[in-house]
Amino acid sequence: PPLTELGERQAAATGAALADEPITAVYSSHLSRARRTGVAVAQTHGLEVTVMESLAEIHMFGDLKPNQRPLDVMTETELEGARRRFARERRWEVYPYTESSIDFRRRIGNALEGIIAAHPAEMVVVACHGGVINAYVADFLKVEADMFFRPAHASIHRILVRRERRVVQTLNELSHLRHDDLLTF
């Protein structure tokens, strides 16, 4: 779905927060909300957004047949069991018919490392999704949980790159969202 009115305001606040940064490229997932957030950032720098489908969120229930819904192949009790297991274990594998954690991390890692290689020593923005952020950071930090933290909508995360080293500078920057009731999860 597209961004809501609140989502548009959050995207604009993120663009404004990054307006003075020396950003040279903006990438986004092909999904509407991420793409729109990327546009809000890119516009403040006179840039276009490069859309990459490989930056999409985890493919949950993507292995179902076309027009099939989870409740067509699972009971509500089984689905609730998967939700509860995910809350406890924080692993995508608890959901049937879902992209595996290892495949998700591989897809995200390859996409982001390709972006890094294309922009050495540059500041790049990637507008994406909470699962994507978790997958990339968890992989290089060697965290087993797939969702080890909950990124706020339109929050900012900074990863410093030097050769093969990746360092988390910030996760979940929120100061640009703290006014006008823009903070949501």
Side-chain angles (χ1 to χ4, degrees), residues 24-29 50-52 54-55 107-128 132 136 161 166:
T24 58
V26 177
Y27 288 78
S28 85
S29 154
T50 301
V51 175
M52 292 179 65
S54 55
L55 293 171
R107 172 169 60 86
I108 297 307
N110 290 347
L112 290 172
E113 290 299 323
I115 292 168
I116 290 167
H119 300 278
E122 295 179 27
M123 183 177 286
V124 175
V125 168
V126 177
C128 58
V132 171
Y136 185 66
V161 175
R166 308 293 177 259

Side-chain angles (χ1 to χ4, degrees), residues 77-178:
T77 301
E78 291 168 325
L79 189 55
E80 180 59 24
R83 287 185 193 116
R84 288 174 179 257
R85 283 190 61 207
F86 184 79
R88 188 176 62 251
E89 299 174 28
R90 296 175 293 155
R91 300 289 299 169
W92 295 118
E93 276 86 3
V94 303
Y95 285 102
Y97 310 101
T98 296
E99 183 177 20
S100 74
S101 298
I102 194 164
D103 288 343
F104 183 46
R105 287 187 186 200
R106 181 181 303 118
R107 172 169 60 86
I108 297 307
N110 290 347
L112 290 172
E113 290 299 323
I115 292 168
I116 290 167
H119 300 278
E122 295 179 27
M123 183 177 286
V124 175
V125 168
V126 177
C128 58
H129 314 278
V132 171
I133 297 160
N134 272 269
Y136 185 66
V137 174
D139 193 55
F140 74 76
L141 291 180
K142 308 296 184 223
V143 174
E144 287 189 30
D146 291 328
M147 288 292 288
F148 69 96
F149 81 104
R150 181 125 188 218
H153 299 133
S155 55
I156 297 170
H157 317 273
R158 297 174 194 261
I159 309 300
L160 304 178
V161 175
R162 178 169 282 169
R163 295 183 194 88
E164 299 308 312
R165 189 162 185 210
R166 308 293 177 259
V167 176
V168 175
Q169 182 179 22
T170 66
L171 288 179
N172 241 7
E173 284 183 39
L174 305 173
S175 60
H176 62 291
L177 301 172
R178 292 211 184 270

Side-chain angles (χ1 to χ4, degrees), residues 1-27:
L3 284 176
T4 62
E5 184 273 329
L6 173 60
E8 289 288 345
R9 289 179 30 230
Q10 290 169 324
T14 303
L18 296 172
D20 294 332
E21 301 283 351
I23 295 168
T24 58
V26 177
Y27 288 78

